[in-house]
């Protein structure tokens, strides 16, 4: 509840109804096995068998989302599985208003990133994002650059936040919190940006369209109570990333841009590349240059056309990066 209150700017609220006792399913456990997430036809078979049994013991008439929980000693669901209206699985609820069902498997009882416990809530939050018709960022399996900085890419990443772009797309950022300026109108601009998950007024997202379907996005990040805590990990600063509107679900429509100083940063999420800018870092991409001037209650940045800001005595692209 608290997570979505922050992500949605209080536009999304929940009322929970919790079944107080276990509901036993008939037959053998093997009859319900789902070998991996979204396996077919096993996922269809699972919900077709489970829903009618549970429906006799629980009133779903006013329920939008169903979060099933299996006993921790079960071995029939090693990962998880879920269903939504558009994949034709949850038709047992066709006469009700249920929009999504999930069940967690043993995967979520194992250590995750940095050997920290995985959390049920982040999986539920990620799948709820799909119910809200938010695309999955990147591949459903494997690593991808933005995965650790966007919940819709990875529910177990070090950062559990949602990007400013996803919030903007969802209508959760007020107009006054978004600064948009086309590349051709760009001069030299000093901006103060409020950290994305903080309270109060101030710009949260900078959007610089670079074509009819692409743009550079800038936001400020701070480690929050929802993230995986990592000592000395530099996750507080400016994040610059690109949006590609020609890409969508299960593709890298958001891609972070690394400052030159990030190479071989031992404290970075991957241990190789750090995408969060430190003070005095510079990023140059698509003819645009972003310099992180200072960190504070508001992070101060300088945006200009590449080559517009003189940097005496050194090559411009490496100034202040060492």
């Amino acid at each position: 509840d608290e997570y979505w209150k922050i992500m949605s700017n209080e536009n999304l609220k929940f009322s929970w109804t919790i079944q107080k006792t276990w509901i036993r399913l008939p037959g053998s456990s093997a009859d319900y096995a789902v070998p991996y997430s979204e396996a077919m036809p096993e996922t269809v078979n699972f919900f077709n068998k489970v829903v009618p049994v549970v429906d006799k013991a629980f009133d779903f008439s006013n329920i939008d989302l169903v979060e099933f929980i299996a006993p921790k000693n079960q071995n029939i669901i090693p990962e998880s599985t879920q269903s939504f209206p558009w994949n034709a699985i949850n038709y047992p609820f066709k006469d009700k208003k249920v929009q999504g069902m999930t069940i967690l498997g043993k995967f979520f009882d194992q250590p995750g990133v940095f050997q920290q416990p995985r959390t049920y809530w982040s999986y539920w939050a990620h799948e709820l994002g799909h119910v809200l018709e938010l695309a999955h960022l990147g591949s459903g399996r494997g690593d991808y650059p933005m995965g650790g900085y966007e919940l819709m890419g990875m529910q177990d990443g070090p950062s559990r936040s949602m990007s400013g772009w996803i919030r903007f797309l969802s209508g959760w950022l007020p107009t006054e919190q978004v600064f948009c300026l086309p590349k051709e109108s760009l001069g030299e601009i000093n901006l103060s940006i409020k950290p994305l998950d903080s309270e109060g007024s101030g710009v949260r997202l900078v959007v610089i369209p670079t074509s009819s379907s692409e743009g550079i996005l800038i936001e400020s990040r701070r480690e929050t109570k929802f993230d995986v805590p990592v000592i000395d990990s530099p996750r507080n600063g400016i994040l610059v990333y690109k949006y590609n509107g020609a890409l969508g679900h299960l593709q890298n429509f958001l891609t972070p841009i690394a400052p030159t100083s990030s190479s071989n940063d031992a404290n970075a999420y991957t241990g190789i590349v750090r995408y969060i800018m430190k003070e005095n870092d510079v990023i140059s991409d698509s003819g645009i240059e972003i310099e992180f001037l200072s960190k504070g209650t508001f992070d101060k940045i300088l945006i200009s056309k590449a080559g517009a800001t003189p940097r005496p005595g050194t090559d411009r692209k490496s100034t202040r990066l060492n």
Side-chain angles (χ1 to χ4, degrees):
D1 289 0
E2 186 179 356
Y3 174 83
W4 276 108
K5 178 181 178 180
I6 294 173
M7 296 302 112
S8 72
N9 198 25
E10 301 192 33
N11 283 287
L12 195 59
K13 298 179 181 179
F14 302 89
S15 175
W16 291 83
T17 302
I18 302 174
Q19 171 73 14
K20 302 299 183 183
T21 58
W22 289 101
I23 299 173
R24 294 194 67 86
L25 301 172
S28 168
S29 294
D31 297 338
Y32 302 88
V34 182
Y36 56 88
S37 183
E38 299 180 337
M40 294 295 177
E42 292 88 351
T43 298
V44 174
N45 293 337
F46 176 85
F47 286 111
N48 282 348
K49 292 176 180 177
V50 168
V51 169
V53 176
V54 177
D55 199 18
K56 296 176 182 177
F58 189 88
D59 182 7
F60 290 101
S61 57
N62 292 307
I63 302 296
D64 297 296
L65 302 167
V66 181
E67 320 290 5
F68 290 115
I69 299 177
K72 286 194 174 184
N73 63 348
Q74 63 86 23
N75 291 301
I76 61 170
I77 302 177
E79 295 183 354
S80 67
T81 198
Q82 49 278 328
S83 77
F84 307 104
W86 52 84
N87 62 11
I89 293 174
N90 72 351
Y91 70 85
F93 283 138
K94 62 180 180 296
D95 59 336
K96 300 177 175 65
K97 54 185 276 188
V98 173
Q99 296 297 302
M101 299 183 291
T102 70
I103 183 164
L104 301 110
K106 298 186 76 66
F107 176 81
F108 288 90
D109 295 320
Q110 302 168 6
V113 176
F114 307 121
Q115 295 303 300
Q116 297 291 316
R118 288 186 167 91
T119 55
Y120 285 14
W121 73 262
S122 60
Y123 167 72
W124 291 337
H126 173 96
E127 300 304 336
L128 172 59
H130 292 320
V131 171
L132 299 174
E133 299 188 4
L134 299 178
H136 189 108
L137 175 61
S139 168
R141 297 177 183 273
D143 297 327
Y144 35 92
M146 193 75 173
Y149 302 95
E150 168 59 67
L151 185 86
M152 294 314 299
M154 184 190 301
Q155 74 257 339
D156 300 314
S159 173
R160 306 291 173 82
S161 192
M162 303 187 82
S163 65
W165 177 257
I166 291 294
R167 301 186 205 194
F168 166 72
L169 196 66
S170 302
W172 296 333
L173 287 182
T175 302
E176 61 271 17
Q177 293 185 2
V178 181
F179 180 87
C180 183
L181 185 68
K183 178 181 175 180
E184 56 270 18
S185 302
L186 186 63
E188 188 172 278
I189 300 175
N190 282 278
L191 279 178
S192 295
I193 304 179
K194 197 80 179 287
L196 192 58
D197 293 325
S198 63
E199 297 181 343
S201 59
V203 173
R204 296 299 200 282
L205 176 68
V206 178
V207 182
I208 307 173
T210 55
S211 74
S212 61
S213 62
E214 297 179 302
I216 300 289
L217 301 109
I218 309 168
E219 62 194 45
S220 172
R221 291 291 186 104
R222 295 290 187 273
E223 185 175 324
T224 73
K225 63 184 291 184
F226 305 111
D227 298 332
V228 176
V230 183
I231 298 175
D232 296 329
S233 179
R235 286 188 281 159
N236 297 327
I238 293 293
L239 177 65
V240 180
Y241 55 105
K242 299 175 76 170
Y243 169 67
N244 185 344
L247 303 177
H249 187 55
L250 296 175
Q251 295 178 311
N252 290 320
F253 54 88
L254 299 179
T255 306
I257 306 172
T260 305
S261 65
S262 71
S263 298
N264 300 314
D265 191 324
N267 289 326
Y269 162 44
T270 64
I272 300 173
V273 176
R274 172 177 51 79
Y275 292 107
I276 300 292
M277 298 176 73
K278 296 179 179 179
E279 288 177 289
N280 300 322
D281 271 350
V282 176
I283 281 178
S284 185
D285 192 282
S286 304
I288 300 167
E289 186 170 276
I290 301 104
E291 181 178 1
F292 185 12
L293 300 176
S294 63
K295 180 170 63 178
T297 304
F298 285 83
D299 287 350
K300 298 184 183 300
I301 62 173
L302 174 65
I303 308 173
S304 59
K305 291 183 178 179
T309 305
R311 302 187 186 280
T314 183
D315 176 74
R316 185 168 185 277
K317 290 188 178 179
S318 61
T319 298
R320 303 188 184 188
L321 295 185
N322 297 319

